Amino acid sequence: MIAFEIHFSEDAMNYFQESCKYMPGGVNSPVRAFGSVGGEPVFVDRAKGSKIYDVNGKEYIDYVCSWGPMILGHTDEDVLKAIKDAAEKGASFGAPTVNELNMTKLITEMVPSVEMVRLVSSGTEALMSAIRLARAYTKRDTIVKFEGCYHGHSDSLLVKAGSGLLTFNQPSSPGVPEDFAKHTLIAQYNDIDSVRALFKENKDKIACVLVEPAAGNMGLVLPEKGFLESLKNLCSEEGALLLFDEVITGFRMSAGGAQKYYNVQPDITTLGKIIGGGLPVGAYGARKEIMEMISPVGAVYQAGTLSGNPLATAAGLATLKKLNQPGFYEALKAKSDILWNGFGENCKKLGLKYAFNSVESLGCMFFTDGEVKSFAQAVKSDTKKYAAFFHAMLKRGVNLAPAQFECMFVSAAHTDEDLAKTIAAHYDSLKEIG
Ligand SMILES: *Cc1c(COP(=O)(O)O)cnc(C)c1O
């Protein structure tokens, strides 16, 4: 191995160009590359509270929040201390620790449908494992997902609807065998009849229906009244499991996630993002009878060298404890509402009728008129306009997701001053882009 260090003068350095030589697209996760908004990504040096700072020291009010995890804001003192203390004691042992007990116990107390949990290292891993569990439990192979919902990048889930509405789905990425794709059926969000039709065509074959209980990966699309309840009823009539992918909504919409917020209990729940407090963690949980099918109690194999990692559980536990304090979500909602109302006022003043969806601290403005209640309506958005808006906001020191079909995340660290600045930047940006 040749040891080397790259040395450039500050001025000559272009981190992104240089990164593109060593990482595909210069990044380790595609959306970070600014592909859908153009330009070059901000290289982050550090963060504190509601702010991130780039390598040149420029400050931005951050509404990406690492795509959701940083609900307390960045470098929260208690989380930081928990990580430091854990690091002092050892980064990883590959043996049980007390914090894994503390954390899993707290999760079962907070999330209504979850009696037992398995910790993993990412949302993708949680979904992949949860599907295996659902298939084992029901002894069926087929799964149903909704167009526009994202459940990580495992083979079975990178599938898009084919042209024949009820059959012939296609892999949405090269490298996914068609043989895998054929086990994944695609339904339409907020359209219970599309799910009913799939059950009818595939009698006794469907293991589970996966859904983001509030969909945060096609912008933000909220479930219409009765949609989740109908899914629940349909699944139990058909002997399938209902899987809520709460990787975004878990500990975001309430201390008990979307299932508590909407009062609908799924059979299996997947968690991620917030649960790691910024470190890599995922989890899946269910009632005991289902979870005890997992190895070593049951025969469904799933393992992980770094699962329940001490630093990650320390960060996660410190985060969950703060969220579980009375009044946390009320305060976060009050802040978020200031922002959402401010955006609404701005649009009114400017005579714009863009669709805007929000729930608690999640929000998304779509550059399309009218309502967005479906994937088809979401994708009508003018993504070029979003790109212009994104850059106009960034220029004014507000960091939004570099893509239209993502959420804004408000954190407990956002101050009244941040909110006021953001609302002003929103007005000026919309005015600028016309
Ligand atoms: C982010 C996300 C995932 C994947 O989680 P990773 O930790 O990125 O693997 C799964 N489901 C939903 C709803 C997500 O938003």
Side-chain angles (χ1 to χ4, degrees):
M1 244 286 287
I2 304 163
F4 67 94
E5 245 186 295
I6 301 170
H7 267 301
F8 294 102
S9 75
E10 275 295 312
D11 293 338
M13 180 145 30
N14 185 326
Y15 290 113
F16 185 58
Q17 296 300 324
E18 195 65 13
S19 293
C20 287
K21 294 185 197 162
Y22 305 104
M23 290 170 269
V27 293
N28 284 309
S29 194
V31 72
R32 297 179 196 170
F34 275 29
S36 65
V37 291
E40 297 191 349
V42 171
F43 268 63
V44 179
D45 177 46
R46 67 197 166 85
K48 182 77 211 159
S50 59
K51 315 288 195 316
I52 56 171
Y53 299 86
D54 72 12
V55 286
N56 299 315
K58 183 172 162 139
E59 178 183 288
Y60 304 86
I61 304 171
D62 181 30
Y63 294 99
V64 178
C65 289
S66 187
W67 303 89
M70 312 317 294
I71 192 170
L72 299 175
H74 296 281
T75 51
D76 175 83
E77 293 297 331
D78 297 310
V79 177
L80 199 57
K81 183 170 184 310
I83 296 171
K84 282 180 180 166
D85 290 349
E88 294 281 347
K89 294 171 89 172
S92 185
F93 315 117
T97 58
V98 176
N99 261 357
E100 288 167 79
L101 165 63
N102 294 337
M103 179 147 159
T104 51
K105 189 170 175 221
L106 185 58
I107 294 167
T108 62
E109 283 163 11
M110 291 172 78
V111 186
S113 69
V114 171
E115 291 175 359
M116 278 185 137
V117 197
R118 170 63 58 87
L119 298 179
V120 293
S121 299
S122 70
T124 294
E125 204 185 340
L127 265 301
M128 191 180 80
S129 313
I131 290 169
R132 183 176 304 147
L133 177 58
R135 284 173 163 160
Y137 183 83
T138 56
K139 302 190 177 68
R140 298 172 176 182
D141 288 342
T142 305
I143 61 174
V144 173
K145 79 175 278 289
F146 292 92
E147 190 167 26
C149 283
Y150 177 70
H151 305 291
H153 64 84
S154 70
D155 283 342
S156 307
L157 296 168
L158 289 186
V159 174
K160 61 183 176 192
S163 43
L165 200 59
L166 297 176
T167 47
F168 303 124
N169 294 311
Q170 300 158 356
S172 61
S173 163
V176 176
E178 274 171 32
D179 282 353
F180 286 21
K182 76 178 186 209
H183 293 296
T184 304
L185 306 175
I186 310 291
Q188 294 303 314
Y189 201 82
N190 274 334
D191 178 359
I192 192 69
D193 288 339
S194 72
V195 188
R196 214 170 263 135
L198 291 176
F199 271 112
K200 208 169 155 203
E201 293 269 311
N202 300 274
K203 198 82 196 142
D204 299 330
K205 288 196 182 132
I206 296 172
C208 68
V209 175
L210 288 89
V211 67
E212 288 180 72
N217 286 286
M218 45 173 144
L220 177 67
V221 178
L222 302 178
E224 290 197 76
K225 207 169 159 47
F227 177 60
L228 299 174
E229 289 86 346
S230 301
L231 277 182
K232 166 92 188 170
N233 293 337
L234 194 52
C235 283
S236 45
E237 282 163 25
E238 299 285 347
L241 298 182
L242 178 61
L243 192 159
F244 275 8
D245 180 356
E246 296 230 41
V247 170
I248 286 183
T249 55
F251 312 107
R252 169 63 65 177
M253 289 181 57
S254 82
Q259 55 194 266
K260 187 153 192 185
Y261 188 88
Y262 293 119
N263 193 25
V264 178
Q265 299 217 1
D267 298 293
I268 304 184
T269 303
T270 51
L271 298 161
K273 299 199 166 109
I274 288 175
I275 206 180
L279 274 77
V281 188
Y284 61 104
R287 51 184 187 271
K288 204 170 167 212
E289 162 219 7
I290 299 176
M291 287 308 284
E292 286 196 331
M293 293 193 73
I294 299 285
S295 179
V297 184
V300 178
Y301 192 69
Q302 185 271 308
T305 303
L306 294 179
S307 294
N309 172 266
L311 302 192
T313 45
L317 189 61
T319 302
L320 296 190
K321 277 184 184 161
K322 287 187 94 158
L323 305 181
N324 211 20
Q325 297 298 315
F328 178 87
Y329 288 93
E330 286 78 358
L332 186 60
K333 180 181 179 358
K335 266 184 221 259
S336 308
D337 284 345
I338 292 174
L339 205 55
W340 312 146
N341 290 334
F343 291 170
E345 291 290 313
N346 285 345
C347 285
K348 211 186 266 169
K349 277 188 231 158
L350 292 163
L352 300 169
K353 293 206 173 70
Y354 295 137
F356 187 82
N357 289 341
S358 70
V359 62
E360 301 285 312
S361 57
L362 291 170
C364 177
M365 184 168 81
F366 294 92
F367 283 88
T368 177
D369 287 357
E371 289 178 329
V372 174
K373 292 181 168 186
S374 66
F375 178 71
Q377 286 169 329
V379 295
K380 278 195 201 146
S381 303
D382 182 343
T383 52
K384 287 212 176 74
K385 200 136 213 183
Y386 181 83
F389 172 69
F390 165 83
H391 282 292
M393 291 292 274
L394 194 66
K395 189 170 76 183
R396 292 174 172 83
V398 180
N399 186 48
L400 303 177
Q404 162 76 85
F405 302 112
E406 307 288 349
C407 293
M408 268 180 89
F409 298 94
V410 183
S411 81
H414 285 93
T415 63
D416 286 346
E417 195 195 337
D418 293 332
L419 303 176
K421 272 192 191 163
T422 306
I423 293 166
H426 178 266
Y427 182 87
D428 293 342
S429 297
L430 286 179
K431 208 166 162 190
E432 179 189 312
I433 67 169

